[in-house]
Amino acid sequence: MIVSMKRYATKAEIETVCERIREFGYKIHAIEGEERVVIGAVGVGDVTNCLESLEALPCVEKAVRISAPYKFVSKEFRSTRTVIRINNGTGLEIGGDEFTVMAGPCSVESEKQLMESAIAVSRAGAKVLRGGAFKPRTSPYDFQGLEEEGLKLLKKAREATGLAIITEVMSDRDVSLIAEYSDIMQVGARNMQNFALLKTLGKCQRPVLLKRGMSSTIKELLMSAEYIVAHGNPNVILCERGIRTFETATRNTCDIAAVPVLNELTQLPVILDPSHATGKRSLVPALSRAGVAIGADGIIVEVHPCPEKAVSDGAQSLHLEEFDRMMNDLRGYIALWKQSRMAEAAMV
Ligand code: PEP
Ligand code: MN
């Protein structure tokens, strides 16, 4: 259930409400807002009586039940977009009125490869540099990533360009190490339901980009996001990266409808990954345009100075010049995207 307090409710009033919620057998999970406090509670109890009893209190504006199984990430809980501030000193926000482009190589391979990529994507207008240092590979014989050495190279690239960093975390044991280097923690498709990892990320305040599992439903994606938020970290960004179907013409099937579906169900930002969704570099510009047009908050794209020599995902990585061209082509679409965001903001 969610309980909205009247404007400027006092600390004592908030505590009285929390006490009453607990008496009915519910657990307080989040208290949000400064001017107007909203209390979230979950559990099993006498919901009708609890809501009635809370609404009878003069300091309570409204108490409602959340019907979705995911509570804190549902639109019933939050009526405005979740804008996620990235703490890299540039004022970067995801989910607000700027379309965010994240780009970089699939894997961090060397200082030269990463720096060339970082400089090129930054010049082209990306704001976040991606690059895997811990790689989830299907074969144990494939390149597994440079690990901490890769994280150090990402830090160097961040210092040189001012780009924020996103890199994958595969295990709960690595969360604190990766949080030292990365502005955004990426949870890969293969770990979307690694609940130990999700819980640990909940205790860390770094923004998390949660990728949809390749065989996961939208509801399961939202339930995984709920794990992170319920454990204390509200800074979750969702990512559609294609799902497994019978189709073999593309590496995965891009579930483009997932973007507006998620926009109907949650206020969390949604990012589209056209690279893993298709597996083919020639398809990435069209899918990126689709992402802008359909109302994603951004895209995450793989690039490489020499994709033919990439240790992972070369076939779907854009050459740096191709990325630059794509960004130029996207400019007009992004301007329209911005107009519609502004119009939406003016309506609320
Ligand atoms: C990646 O971003 O390189 C990656 C492994 O993505 P996914 O988890 O979507 O397969
Ligand atoms: Mn990849």
Side-chain angles (χ1 to χ4, degrees), residues 43-231:
V44 194
D46 181 350
V47 71
T48 317
N49 276 329
C50 180
L51 294 175
E52 255 177 35
S53 148
L54 291 168
E55 282 205 329
L57 293 170
C59 58
V60 169
E61 179 77 44
K62 204 168 79 173
V64 290
R65 177 179 189 179
I66 301 178
S67 51
Y70 37 86
K71 310 288 178 195
F72 296 111
V73 307
S74 84
K75 265 206 175 154
E76 293 166 90
F77 182 64
R78 206 190 166 100
S79 58
T80 54
R81 287 186 182 277
T82 313
V83 179
I84 296 179
R85 281 171 195 85
I86 307 300
N87 223 343
N88 70 332
T90 66
L92 178 64
E93 290 181 342
I94 297 175
D97 52 15
E98 296 290 339
F99 186 83
T100 308
V101 178
M102 310 183 183
C106 177
S107 300
V108 177
E109 297 171 16
S110 67
E111 180 163 352
K112 184 169 180 292
Q113 172 246 19
L114 189 67
M115 283 299 180
E116 278 180 29
S117 305
I119 291 166
V121 302
S122 170
R123 279 206 187 122
K127 293 286 186 275
V128 182
L129 176 67
R130 63 148 290 147
F134 291 80
K135 293 302 299 175
R137 304 306 300 278
T138 304
S139 164
Y141 308 115
D142 284 342
F143 177 67
Q144 303 287 307
L146 295 181
E147 303 190 340
E148 192 165 0
E149 189 47 41
L151 297 176
K152 289 187 177 148
L153 294 177
L154 285 164
K155 187 175 170 203
K156 235 178 171 173
R158 181 188 196 261
E159 284 163 4
T161 59
L163 290 166
I165 299 299
I166 177 167
T167 195
E168 179 158 353
V169 54
M170 293 201 295
S171 156
D172 54 329
R173 291 187 306 272
D174 298 331
V175 167
S176 53
L177 172 71
I178 293 175
E180 271 177 48
Y181 292 92
S182 196
D183 300 296
I184 309 173
M185 315 285 278
Q186 174 175 325
V187 176
R190 290 156 192 82
N191 274 307
M192 189 203 87
Q193 287 189 317
N194 178 341
F195 298 116
L197 174 61
L198 302 179
K199 286 181 194 173
T200 307
L201 287 168
K203 291 182 197 108
C204 144
Q205 286 306 301
R206 280 265 182 283
V208 176
L209 180 126
L210 178 65
K211 290 186 133 191
R212 179 180 180 184
M214 58 191 83
S215 304
S216 300
T217 63
I218 288 172
K219 183 172 158 189
E220 287 164 342
L221 171 63
L222 289 168
M223 293 308 288
S224 289
E226 183 81 6
Y227 260 91
I228 302 170
V229 180
H231 281 84

